[in-house]
Amino acid sequence: MKLYTKIIIGMSAGVIFGLLAKQFGFGPRAAAWVEPLGKIFIRLITMVVVPLVVASITLGTASLGSLKKLGRIGAKTLAYYMVTTALAITIGLTLANLVKPGAGLDENVKAQLLQDYQSTAQEQITKSASRKPIDLLLNIVPTNPIKAMAEGEMLGLIFFSLALGIALTYLPVARSQPVLNFLDGVNEAIIQLVHLIMKFAPYGVFGLMAAVVGKFGFDILLTLLKYSLVVLAGLALQMLLIYTLSVRFIGGIHPIRFFKGMRPAHLIAFSTSSSNATLPVNIQCCEENLGLPKEICSFVLPLGATINMDGTALLQGVVAVFIAQVYGISLTINDQMVIMLTATLASVGAAGVPSAGIVMLTMILQPIGLPLEGIGLILGVDRLLDMCRTVVNITGDATCAAFIARSERVSGLTASQKEIPKPELVAEG
Ligand code: ASP
């Protein structure tokens, strides 16, 4: 049986198990039983992220060969990420203004939600109060790369690996080649490790899905049905319109082939709600299933997992308008422009882990004077929406890899990829 099918079965079994457990009144207890399975899977797949990022970015940068080329690719990647994020926020704001999910929210539901999630909302507000935008900039340069690795500070890691890759290109080949050979070996070993870890994926996603459904159920979506539908419709538009057009016309890949090739990454993003944890599988799907060049994937995808979160930005736009509507505060065009800007920054600053987008919400609400406790309104449904927006987040990164590959006119498998034995994900994807 294909791995993809096994993961779908694991997910469905998890949903059924969670629903039954909730139905018979032991949802949270059952969630606690099966959650370790999911946690082990997330830990396994996250385990490879740091070495993979360091090895693949250093190698990728060194194999680009010139600083000029790196600068060109870097500029195009950033521009693409900014444009798609702006489009995502525009979709979110437009839908929220048209559908008005927050207008006429039942007063009892509002009071109940605010009461239920008051303390969690306060936690998020306190967490985000300690984050200053300037820190985001400063943290790009790590004082100690080993510390950045130990703490999983992705931006710092990316910066260090880029710098190391550039430095290697200045060395004579006799000096740089052993280092590159070593990193190439590490890189390939990690890719094989990801294949092994993926064998556990069906059980891991079973645990993850059963725990989420057992704890939250789907009824919670009904309390905020309009809001949830607006978010889901926005995410669907971003996927089916923006990304489809992008891969078709600027990435040069048939959308069906693209979405088919991305299936394993989609399933992992959906069940883990973490762009970081999905990164190894995303790299694998882009390189092996879509045939995108290794040196481009290894630069564009880790950067995207860290700074490009279109789904998160879209959600943040909808949340701001939703909270304004619930509290009867009207937002001017100027306010909405501010949301565009702050949501872009907030999505850049959000880490690729579950709920990170929510931690950044104060950055958007505060400048336009919206009540921060409003965050409590959407916390209950957020776990489920997080799963969907993470799928969008990682898809955006892959569309960028397709765009860069085409614009640099390199496609097909690179020499080193050809040497790797045909992995299971390709055969099964
Ligand atoms: N969970 C998202 C991700 O990892 C971030 C977020 O929106 O909370 O991409």
Side-chain angles (χ1 to χ4, degrees):
M1 193 191 293
K2 288 181 179 177
L3 177 65
Y4 170 77
T5 318
K6 284 189 203 160
I7 299 179
I8 297 256
I9 293 175
M11 265 173 139
S12 318
V15 171
I16 295 169
F17 180 87
L19 282 178
L20 285 176
K22 201 163 162 46
Q23 189 66 28
F24 291 109
F26 61 98
R29 231 176 334 138
W33 296 334
V34 292
E35 213 168 15
L37 270 182
K39 282 198 172 151
I40 289 176
F41 176 61
I42 294 199
R43 293 179 76 106
L44 278 171
I45 195 116
T46 311
M47 171 178 88
V48 299
V49 169
V50 168
L52 180 65
V53 166
V54 177
S56 71
I57 296 194
T58 311
L59 264 179
T61 313
S63 55
L64 285 180
S66 79
L67 213 52
K68 204 169 129 211
K69 192 168 175 195
L70 178 69
R72 190 178 63 230
I73 292 182
K76 278 195 284 191
T77 303
L78 289 181
Y80 182 90
Y81 283 158
M82 288 305 126
V83 171
T84 47
T85 302
L87 287 171
I89 305 175
T90 310
I91 291 179
L93 289 178
T94 311
L95 284 179
N97 281 301
L98 285 177
V99 182
K100 302 197 187 341
L105 180 72
D106 189 87
E107 277 304 319
N108 295 330
V109 174
K110 177 180 164 189
Q112 188 65 45
L113 285 171
L114 285 176
Q115 189 190 327
D116 289 353
Y117 294 100
Q118 200 177 25
S119 60
T120 327
Q122 199 48 51
E123 265 171 41
Q124 307 284 8
I125 294 168
T126 327
K127 253 194 227 168
S128 68
S130 57
R131 281 166 188 257
K132 296 187 199 82
I134 187 72
D135 290 343
L136 186 67
L137 206 68
L138 289 180
N139 285 342
I140 294 178
V141 186
T143 49
N144 177 349
I146 306 294
K147 181 165 170 268
M149 286 180 206
E151 293 178 359
E153 286 165 15
M154 297 296 278
L155 277 181
L157 265 187
I158 291 174
F159 182 85
F160 171 73
S161 314
L162 276 173
L164 190 63
I166 293 171
L168 281 166
T169 62
Y170 285 100
L171 297 187
V173 176
R175 311 292 282 171
S176 62
Q177 204 53 48
V179 182
L180 293 177
N181 286 345
F182 169 74
L183 289 175
D184 204 19
V186 171
N187 205 23
E188 286 186 20
I190 289 171
I191 288 177
Q192 293 303 330
L193 190 54
V194 175
H195 285 300
L196 288 176
I197 294 171
M198 285 299 283
K199 290 193 193 298
F200 184 64
Y203 311 99
V205 297
F206 166 80
L208 290 168
M209 293 308 293
V212 171
V213 176
K215 248 191 257 174
F216 303 100
F218 289 117
D219 321 350
I220 184 93
L221 285 177
L222 294 178
T223 46
L224 287 181
L225 190 62
K226 240 175 156 185
Y227 162 80
S228 308
L229 288 180
V230 166
V231 173
L232 293 176
L235 295 175
L237 272 178
Q238 181 77 9
M239 286 283 258
L240 300 177
L241 190 72
I242 309 293
Y243 295 158
T244 301
L245 291 178
S246 168
V247 288
R248 178 76 191 84
F249 293 107
I250 52 178
I253 301 179
H254 194 287
I256 295 186
R257 193 179 146 235
F258 174 80
F259 285 109
K260 241 177 140 179
M262 288 294 290
R263 282 186 312 195
H266 283 162
L267 292 177
I268 301 304
F270 186 75
S271 44
T272 60
S273 287
S274 166
S275 297
N276 280 0
T278 313
L279 179 62
V281 187
N282 202 10
I283 292 183
Q284 223 164 22
C285 288
C286 287
E287 289 181 5
E288 295 165 5
N289 297 354
L290 303 178
L292 297 173
K294 196 173 174 179
E295 59 272 24
I296 287 188
C297 294
S298 55
F299 172 72
V300 171
L301 298 177
L303 192 67
T306 315
I307 67 163
N308 180 51
M309 298 197 180
D310 299 342
T312 302
L314 186 147
L315 172 112
Q316 288 168 332
V318 175
V319 172
V321 177
F322 172 75
I323 293 179
Q325 288 166 350
V326 172
Y327 285 89
I329 301 167
S330 60
L331 294 176
T332 61
I333 290 288
N334 259 353
D335 291 332
Q336 313 230 10
M337 295 307 256
V338 174
I339 296 177
M340 284 280 267
L341 189 74
T342 51
T344 305
L345 288 177
S347 67
V348 170
V353 296
S355 298
I358 299 301
V359 178
M360 304 303 282
L361 272 176
T362 48
M363 216 174 128
I364 297 153
L365 303 181
Q366 227 157 18
I368 46 172
L370 291 177
L372 297 185
E373 77 269 12
I375 295 174
L377 292 170
I378 50 104
L379 281 181
V381 290
D382 196 64
R383 188 64 181 79
L384 295 168
L385 298 180
D386 195 0
M387 299 161 84
C388 304
R389 68 176 180 261
T390 307
V391 173
V392 172
N393 289 347
I394 61 115
T395 309
D397 305 339
T399 63
C400 182
F403 155 63
I404 301 289
R406 191 174 188 213
S407 71
E408 292 289 316
R409 286 186 217 299
V410 274
S411 63
L413 301 177
T414 57
S416 57
Q417 272 172 288
K418 281 180 197 148
E419 286 157 17
I420 301 174
K422 194 172 175 61
E424 197 187 346
L425 214 62
V426 183
E428 296 186 345

